[in-house]
């Protein structure tokens, strides 16, 4: 129960890695706000976990208004903001550069990069105002930021941006006792990967030393570690969890 007494907010909590993260943070004793644009999915996450430590909340991370409301909700509901923020909301809209539409570029940017910025800025500000020490922010990047896969220019650029923003946030927030780290998952078996063409998946499996996709829980375990004080000196890190794929 290394997270007993802690409050966490997890975005993208309605699916995949975010859902697994809610489960493991609750297992470790935290109360968890399960935030997702898809409220039904967040409610399903809470129902699956089946205790009253997980509260679903509708949040669109791409909207300052919505993120600010989520901060206010947590303060009204729990008298303090979360000390753990996990940014797992993310989308892909893959396409080769010459065919990539402005909409697909903007949508991926709004959720993956601007969304992570808004979440971090708003929640870190609330933590600082409420004198929360030992805060931990985990941003979700991707190994794709380093693989530079053709067809993923928009996605890869946002995920590289997440690493850069994380490193800067770690420097700016260290003095407030807030640690900021990023995780770079490899190919994880979630709905996001279901749309990847079979040929690409087989190629990834061949290049991955473990020879298999990762499970969402295998990412969530690393997030739970970064959320806890077991990682009290890990700050500004970008941690690959890829089964060795790089
Ligand atoms: N699955 C992988 O292989 C993989 C690899 C590397 C990185 N990642 C990253 O990990 C994170 C989670 O991925 P996943 O595989 O669990 O994805 P997923 O598609 O299973 O889940 C993403 C969740 O985010 C929610 N969401 C989307 N836009 C949102 C918004 N604007 N506001 C709030 N919620 C929103 C969706 O409703 C969904 O529930 C993403 O940031 C993704 O880029 C995933
Ligand atoms: C949240 O609360 C702050 C401070 O009370 C207020 O300034 C802000 O407008 C609120 N945000 C929303 C979206 O209601
Ligand atoms: C938080 O950090 C401080 C030092 O920064 C430490 O003394 C304290 O034990 C930590 N843990 C908690 C739960 O406050
Ligand atoms: C990641 O985390 C930090 C720290 O809270 C935040 O300031 C930064 O904007 C976040 N977002 C991205 C895209 O890295």
């Amino acid at each position: 129960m290394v997270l007993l007494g802690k409050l966490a907010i997890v975005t993208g909590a309605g699916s995949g890695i975010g859902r697994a993260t809610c489960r493991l943070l609750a297992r470790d004793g935290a109360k968890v706000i399960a935030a997702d644009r898809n409220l039904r999915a967040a409610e399903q996450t809470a129902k699956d976990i089946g205790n009253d430590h997980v509260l679903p909340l509708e949040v669109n991370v791409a909207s300052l208004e919505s993120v600010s409301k989520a901060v206010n909700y947590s303060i009204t509901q729990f008298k303090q903001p979360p000390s753990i923020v996990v940014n797992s909301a993310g989308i892909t809209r893959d396409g080769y550069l010459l065919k990539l539409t402005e909409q697909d570029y903007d949508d991926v940017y709004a959720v993956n990069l601007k969304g992570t910025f808004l979440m971090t800025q708003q929640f870190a500000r609330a933590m600082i105002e409420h004198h929360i020490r030992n805060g931990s922010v985990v941003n979700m990047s991707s190994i794709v930021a380093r693989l530079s896969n053709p067809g993923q220019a928009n996605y890869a650029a946002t995920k590289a941006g997440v690493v850069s923003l994380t490193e800067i946030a770690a420097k700016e927030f260290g003095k407030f006792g807030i640690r900021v780290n990023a995780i770079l998952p490899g190919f994880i078996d979630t709905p996001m990967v279901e749309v990847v063409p079979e040929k690409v998946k087989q190629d990834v499996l061949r290049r991955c030393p473990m020879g298999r996709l990762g499970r969402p829980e295998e990412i969530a375990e690393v997030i739970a570690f970064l959320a806890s004080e077991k990682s009290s000196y890990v700050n500004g890190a970008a941690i690959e969890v890829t089964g060795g794929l790089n």
Side-chain angles (χ1 to χ4, degrees):
M1 293 300 231
V2 290
L3 299 178
L4 203 64
K6 303 239 183 207
L7 177 63
I9 182 164
V10 178
T11 72
S15 179
I17 295 169
R19 176 172 283 177
T21 300
C22 291
R23 187 178 308 124
L24 296 203
L25 296 185
R27 173 201 70 186
D28 289 349
K31 281 202 189 315
V32 183
I33 300 170
D36 204 291
R37 187 170 55 186
N38 181 344
L39 180 61
R40 290 275 164 286
E43 286 171 346
Q44 189 61 47
T45 296
K47 204 169 148 216
D48 287 355
I49 296 168
N51 64 26
D52 58 359
H53 293 301
V54 181
L55 275 95
L57 183 67
E58 183 175 344
V59 178
N60 175 7
V61 299
S63 153
L64 173 58
E65 163 91 13
S66 178
V67 171
S68 170
K69 256 197 215 155
V71 172
N72 293 1
Y73 166 85
S74 52
I75 293 171
T76 314
Q77 200 73 15
F78 299 95
K79 314 232 173 356
Q80 56 166 6
S83 63
I84 298 165
V85 178
V86 180
N87 294 310
S88 188
I91 61 171
T92 53
R93 296 284 184 273
D94 294 350
Y96 292 113
L97 270 175
L98 295 180
K99 291 188 173 165
L100 197 59
T101 65
E102 184 180 17
Q103 191 68 53
D104 284 347
Y105 180 86
D106 285 346
D107 287 350
V108 168
Y109 173 82
V111 177
N112 295 7
L113 193 55
K114 184 184 166 192
T116 312
F117 159 71
L118 289 175
M119 281 294 300
T120 306
Q121 182 195 52
Q122 296 299 309
F123 279 91
R125 178 176 292 150
M127 279 187 222
I128 292 163
E129 282 173 4
H130 284 76
H131 306 287
I132 300 233
R133 308 293 294 186
N134 310 317
S136 173
V137 179
V138 182
N139 290 332
M140 208 60 63
S141 178
S142 169
I143 194 63
V144 166
R146 292 180 176 159
L147 293 180
S148 303
N149 292 339
Q152 294 202 294
N154 53 350
Y155 182 78
T158 63
K159 293 300 184 179
V162 166
V163 171
S164 165
L165 278 172
T166 298
E167 289 168 356
I168 294 169
K171 290 185 181 172
E172 293 190 10
F173 297 152
K175 62 172 175 285
F176 299 113
I178 300 172
R179 296 180 294 110
V180 190
N181 294 289
I183 295 184
L184 284 66
F187 271 65
I188 312 303
D189 193 7
T190 73
M192 181 178 274
V193 163
E194 278 165 19
V195 301
V196 174
E198 195 51 37
K199 191 169 146 289
V200 176
K201 240 188 256 179
Q202 288 309 322
D203 182 51
V204 168
L205 290 179
R206 249 190 313 104
R207 281 160 39 216
C208 176
M210 306 278 295
R212 63 173 177 84
L213 298 183
R215 286 177 283 109
E217 290 73 19
E218 293 178 302
I219 302 300
E221 285 289 5
V222 183
I223 295 173
F225 167 72
L226 290 174
S228 78
E229 272 155 53
K230 289 185 182 181
S231 60
S232 52
Y233 204 55
V234 183
N235 190 26
I239 299 174
E240 295 183 9
V241 188
T242 66
L245 174 76
N246 60 34

